Amino acid sequence: MRDQGRLIEWFDDKGYGFIQPHDVTKQKIFVHIKDFAKRGPRPLVGCALNYVVTVDQRGRFCAKDVMYLKTHRQVPKKTSQTSTALPKMVVLIAVYWITLFVLTAMHKLSNTYFFIVILVNVVTYYFYKKDKDAAQHNSWRVKEQNLHMMSFLGGWSAAWFAQQKLRHKTQKSSFQQMYIVTIFLNIALVIFLVSPFNTFLK
């Protein structure tokens, strides 16, 4: 039986949430990202959905073959907001990498650190992808502090691209706040490395 409702809870890092049917006398419905019929924008709280109601082995109502209703206008609005914010971060990342390259070319920063940062970014994207896959399959997750540590070590640019590409960790405010902190800490680290106080990596 198909029904309609709105998404009232969504845990993007875990890939599931709950739908409240339009008939408020009905119980809320569990929905997993893998049960959407077609790939599309990541679910947002408030979006209107059409779905088939099933019951799992635990007797829980679940949504299958989930589709977005075309009348919903909240998703395009979110996309528009995101698109206006993206260039600022892209510019920051570009300036960061150009600065690293120039400092390395001027021998203000060691070649070793520059290549370490490249390696850390590759590893960072890999672990974001690994954590995203784990969230969708309810398997072993990468610890958030490990993701933050990689960002601090210079992998924050790859972390940002992974968040946008994989739609992972973008709606968890506490994670995003700490992620911003790691960016400032890494920039502070670079400033220290090129300062007279640094007796390492030169």
Side-chain angles (χ1 to χ4, degrees):
M1 177 185 70
R2 298 202 71 88
D3 201 354
Q4 295 182 0
R6 288 191 178 275
L7 193 66
I8 58 172
E9 293 182 87
W10 183 253
F11 306 95
D12 195 63
D13 57 329
K14 298 180 179 178
Y16 70 81
F18 294 91
I19 302 170
Q20 175 60 58
H22 289 327
D23 184 350
V24 294
T25 62
K26 296 180 180 179
Q27 297 182 21
K28 63 182 182 180
I29 310 294
F30 176 84
V31 58
H32 195 277
I33 189 66
K34 67 182 180 181
D35 293 317
F36 281 76
K38 298 179 181 179
R39 293 192 62 180
R42 296 293 292 183
L44 297 172
V45 172
C47 65
L49 302 171
N50 183 287
Y51 50 90
V52 174
V53 180
T54 62
V55 180
D56 63 13
Q57 295 178 346
R58 293 185 290 176
R60 179 178 57 181
F61 288 105
C62 300
K64 301 289 183 182
D65 192 29
V66 183
M67 295 182 291
Y68 293 101
L69 292 178
K70 294 182 179 180
T71 55
H72 178 58
R73 299 182 183 276
Q74 194 169 356
V75 171
K77 180 179 179 181
K78 182 71 176 182
T79 303
S80 174
Q81 292 176 347
T82 302
S83 62
T84 59
L86 296 188
K88 296 180 180 179
M89 197 63 177
V90 171
V91 170
L92 175 61
I93 291 172
V95 170
Y96 174 79
W97 279 100
I98 291 172
T99 302
L100 287 186
F101 180 80
V102 171
L103 290 174
T104 303
M106 295 174 62
H107 304 291
K108 298 289 187 179
L109 198 62
S110 72
N111 292 332
T112 301
Y113 181 76
F114 186 77
F115 288 113
I116 287 175
V117 174
I118 293 176
L119 179 61
V120 169
N121 274 269
V122 173
V123 173
T124 299
Y125 193 96
Y126 168 77
F127 276 104
Y128 265 86
K129 181 67 168 61
K130 182 180 178 66
D131 189 54
K132 177 66 175 184
D133 292 339
Q136 293 179 332
H137 296 91
N138 295 319
S139 59
W140 179 84
R141 301 290 302 277
V142 178
K143 293 182 179 180
E144 289 189 352
Q145 52 262 46
N146 291 341
L147 296 177
H148 289 315
M149 178 58 67
M150 286 183 280
S151 292
F152 163 68
L153 293 175
W156 59 268
S157 56
W160 182 82
F161 281 111
Q163 291 171 20
Q164 304 306 311
K165 176 69 175 178
L166 305 174
R167 299 303 300 165
H168 189 48
K169 299 291 188 181
T170 57
Q171 296 186 6
K172 189 172 182 180
S173 59
S174 60
F175 183 91
Q176 285 296 311
Q177 290 168 2
M178 190 59 202
Y179 167 68
I180 296 299
V181 171
T182 64
I183 295 176
F184 285 105
L185 289 176
N186 176 254
I187 293 174
L189 174 63
V190 173
I191 294 173
F192 168 76
L193 291 176
V194 299
S195 72
F197 299 102
N198 174 31
T199 57
F200 307 98
L201 294 180
K202 276 194 174 182

